[in-house]
């Protein structure tokens, strides 16, 4: 039936053209933004997941920065510890040289030992980074606080977020502690029993020149060979040996912490890259697909316009029926 009131062909062509134009706008938006899901209205679930993961990735970026700062702190302490170990080894050498020496020679050696003690203290005090010093501390009482390095940002299955840390126990590696009792002293300024080298809380100063007495104590930071007997120097050597063992253990702990931080930095960067890839798979547009689709839609748009033009021209044909 030919009608001038209702042009069904034109209505059909118009609906098809509108649909094509809408799809064309969507494709052009994807090409211009690079996103298949740019807003929540595009795909609410994917948009929500991607938004959360982007937020978590920003947090991981901060974790990466914190790991870098922590690595610098630990590396500084590790360097200071190694230099202090070298210095204490020199003190041990001087003690060996003092054994059997004359009083005059012991006085000279004692001057060298005091210089080495001051140097070890200087190394410990200088091993500070961003206000953190693990080797030379001063606690009013109790144990030295652990140094905590933020190592991970975690999100469990329920969506709850948490932070993990790598803890460095300063109490086990400190060389000096200027705090008052009952604060535990550091490895080098602690009083040690001469006979065993064990740390003790009860100091007992030896009588210079006498044979070693039970309970005599020495500190690596303040021992002196001037005027002391060979037996007492032997006990000093025991004290230094014990301190060196503890320092080597402390250096091992610092080295392990440094290695763990480095591994965590590498893992965090890989994790961030993996999350970026996952987000991309959810929301990024496939440009190859979209460019092909754009060309097809542009052809459809042109054909739709042509079809609408033909449909609108059909009404003109009705006039010929009345001629």
């Amino acid at each position: 039936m030919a009608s001038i009131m209702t042009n069904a062909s034109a209505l059909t062509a118009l609906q098809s053209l509108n649909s094509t134009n809408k799809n064309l706008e969507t494709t052009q938006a994807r090409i211009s933004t690079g996103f298949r899901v740019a807003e929540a209205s595009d795909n609410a679930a994917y948009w929500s997941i991607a938004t959360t993961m982007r937020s978590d990735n920003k947090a991981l970026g901060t974790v990466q920065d914190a790991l870098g700062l922590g690595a610098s702190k630990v590396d500084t302490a590790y360097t200071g510890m190694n230099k202090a170990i070298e210095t204490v080894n020199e003190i041990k050498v001087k003690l060996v040289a003092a054994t059997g020496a004359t009083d005059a020679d012991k006085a000279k050696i004692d001057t060298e030992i005091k210089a080495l003690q001051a140097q070890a203290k200087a190394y410990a005090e200088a091993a500070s980074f961003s206000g953190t010093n693990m080797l030379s501390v001063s606690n009013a009482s109790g144990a030295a606080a652990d140094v905590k390095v933020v190592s991970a940002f975690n999100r469990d299955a329920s969506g709850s977020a948490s932070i993990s840390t790598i803890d460095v126990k300063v109490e086990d590696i400190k060389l000096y502690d200027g705090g008052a009792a009952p604060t535990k002293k550091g490895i080098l300024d602690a009083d040690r029993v001469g006979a065993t080298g064990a740390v003790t809380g009860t100091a007992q100063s030896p009588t210079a020149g006498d044979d070693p007495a039970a309970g005599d104590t020495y500190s690596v930071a303040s021992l002196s060979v001037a005027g002391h007997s060979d037996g007492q120097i032997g006990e000093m050597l025991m004290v230094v040996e014990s301190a060196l063992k503890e320092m080597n253990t402390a250096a091992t702990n610092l080295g392990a912490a440094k290695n763990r931080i480095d591994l965590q930095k590498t893992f965090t960067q890989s994790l961030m890259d993996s999350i970026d890839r996952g987000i991309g798979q959810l929301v990024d547009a496939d440009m190859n697909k979209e460019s092909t689709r754009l060309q097809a839609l542009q052809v459809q748009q042109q054909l739709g316009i042509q079809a609408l033009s033909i449909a609108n021209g059909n009404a003109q044909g009705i006039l010929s029926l009345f001629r």
Side-chain angles (χ1 to χ4, degrees), residues 21-312:
N21 287 339
K22 183 177 180 181
N23 290 335
L24 188 59
E25 289 176 2
T26 299
T27 300
Q28 288 174 331
R30 290 177 178 178
I31 292 173
S32 62
T33 63
F35 290 117
R36 177 169 60 92
V37 180
E39 300 176 352
S41 57
D42 297 330
N43 187 314
Y46 283 3
W47 181 86
S48 176
I49 294 171
T51 300
T52 300
M53 296 312 296
R54 287 192 185 104
S55 176
D56 288 355
N57 236 16
K58 289 182 179 179
L60 287 174
T62 303
V63 169
Q64 191 79 331
D65 294 338
L67 284 168
L69 179 61
S72 298
K73 292 179 179 180
V74 173
D75 191 50
T76 299
Y78 182 76
T79 301
M81 181 66 73
N82 281 337
K83 296 303 292 184
I85 289 174
E86 291 177 8
T87 304
V88 175
N89 272 319
E90 288 297 318
I91 292 176
K92 182 173 74 172
V93 170
K94 299 303 179 185
L95 290 175
V96 173
T99 303
T102 63
D103 288 343
D105 287 340
K106 286 180 180 178
K108 295 175 183 178
I109 293 171
D110 192 61
T111 300
E112 294 180 296
I113 290 176
K114 282 182 169 52
L116 292 170
Q117 290 168 335
Q119 189 59 47
K121 178 70 171 176
Y123 286 144
E125 291 179 344
S128 177
F129 187 92
S130 188
T132 299
N133 192 323
M134 305 185 205
L135 303 186
S136 180
V137 299
S138 182
N139 299 300
S141 62
D146 294 347
V147 171
K148 296 181 178 294
V149 179
V150 175
S151 60
F153 176 84
N154 311 307
R155 188 179 295 279
D156 60 22
S158 66
S160 299
S162 61
I163 294 175
S164 300
T165 60
I166 295 174
D167 299 340
V168 181
K169 296 188 70 64
V170 177
E171 189 72 5
D172 294 339
I173 64 174
K174 64 182 182 181
L175 300 180
Y176 300 91
D177 194 326
T183 297
K184 174 187 171 184
K185 291 296 183 180
I187 295 174
L188 295 184
D189 62 355
D191 292 311
R192 297 174 181 272
V193 178
T196 62
V199 174
T200 179
T202 304
Q204 177 178 308
S205 299
T207 301
D210 288 354
D211 291 333
D216 281 352
T217 60
Y218 305 88
S219 169
V220 177
S222 60
L223 59 80
S224 172
V225 298
H228 285 76
S229 66
D230 288 347
Q232 291 173 328
I233 293 175
E235 289 197 338
M236 294 179 196
L237 189 59
M238 172 66 74
V239 165
V240 169
E241 277 291 319
S242 297
L244 277 171
K245 289 180 181 178
E246 293 181 15
M247 292 174 76
N248 287 332
T249 300
T252 300
N253 292 337
L254 285 170
K258 183 177 181 296
N259 186 54
R260 184 181 173 189
I261 289 173
D262 289 341
L263 290 173
Q264 190 66 25
K265 284 175 64 180
T266 301
F267 169 74
T268 301
Q269 185 59 60
S270 298
L271 182 60
M272 292 173 66
D273 293 342
S274 177
I275 291 175
D276 280 337
R277 289 193 298 270
I279 294 173
Q281 291 176 353
L282 289 176
V283 301
D284 286 358
D286 185 342
M287 302 307 286
N288 291 330
K289 178 180 177 181
E290 297 302 334
S291 63
T292 302
R293 182 174 175 80
L294 177 64
Q295 294 178 20
L297 288 170
Q298 286 174 337
V299 172
Q300 289 180 29
Q301 183 186 49
Q302 294 172 7
L303 292 174
I305 293 172
Q306 187 66 31
L308 182 60
S309 177
I310 293 172
N312 287 333

